[in-house]
Amino acid sequence: FPALNNGIAFPAKYDRRHDLSVVGSYSLSDRWTLSAVFIFATGNTATLPDKFYFIEGNLSQAEGSIDSYRMPPYDRLDLSAIYSVPQKPGRKFSHSWDFSIYNAYSRLNPYFIYFNQTGNYLNGTLTVQAEKVAIFPILPSITWNFSF
């Protein structure tokens, strides 16, 4: 794209050089199944400002090169235990309970970055700090599944 980023090549927004998923499942009995999923991925790219300046007393920013920053790597572990309820004779449906934990070790994977400003530039106390925002810490769930 000659008109973008001064013609310098840049990675795509969702460029992930490494993406690994490991899945394990074990049938403990006819009723219980245990499973785990581990996910690791290189962080997504992001375009962040490289300069801050003032226009009429307001802090403004100039974005740096397109997608020149890479977010930290992403990883999480999901765990699940499924209890299959035995189907009674003559019933036309079956059901099970799924007890799950998303992000079992509650890793705070950054979703986006914003810049927080505190203080005042007039008295020289202005500071600009990059803040990472993470979503979905540890998230337990119970699901009832049925089929007919």
Side-chain angles (χ1 to χ4, degrees):
F1 304 99
L4 296 176
N5 205 35
N6 296 322
I8 300 169
F10 56 91
K13 169 79 177 141
Y14 298 103
D15 173 55
R16 285 190 165 172
R17 304 292 165 95
H18 306 93
D19 201 344
L20 171 72
S21 296
V22 179
V23 178
S25 182
Y26 180 73
S27 291
L28 201 57
S29 67
D30 289 342
R31 295 184 183 185
W32 285 99
T33 302
L34 305 176
S35 63
V37 178
F38 176 76
I39 298 170
F40 173 84
T42 305
N44 287 339
T45 60
T47 303
L48 299 179
D50 62 356
K51 297 176 194 150
F52 292 92
Y53 53 92
F54 293 99
I55 297 178
E56 297 178 2
N58 295 315
L59 183 65
S60 297
Q61 56 193 22
E63 291 186 348
S65 298
I66 296 174
D67 293 340
S68 61
Y69 177 80
R70 188 167 293 278
M71 299 284 275
Y74 177 98
D75 64 270
R76 76 169 200 262
L77 174 67
D78 302 336
L79 302 173
S80 177
I82 299 172
Y83 176 73
S84 299
V85 179
Q87 188 171 356
K88 293 183 179 178
R91 290 251 170 116
K92 295 185 180 184
F93 71 93
S94 62
H95 59 109
S96 64
W97 290 92
D98 185 350
F99 307 94
S100 301
I101 300 175
Y102 176 90
N103 196 7
Y105 50 88
S106 198
R107 176 168 160 88
L108 298 176
N109 291 299
Y111 186 66
F112 68 89
I113 297 176
Y114 74 95
F115 290 87
N116 188 21
Q117 57 185 9
T118 57
N120 189 325
Y121 83 98
L122 294 175
N123 61 15
T125 61
L126 179 68
T127 59
V128 179
Q129 181 71 36
E131 301 285 341
K132 295 177 183 173
V133 176
I135 57 175
F136 302 127
I138 189 168
L139 190 62
S141 68
I142 299 174
T143 306
W144 178 55
N145 299 301
F146 66 93
S147 59
F148 53 93

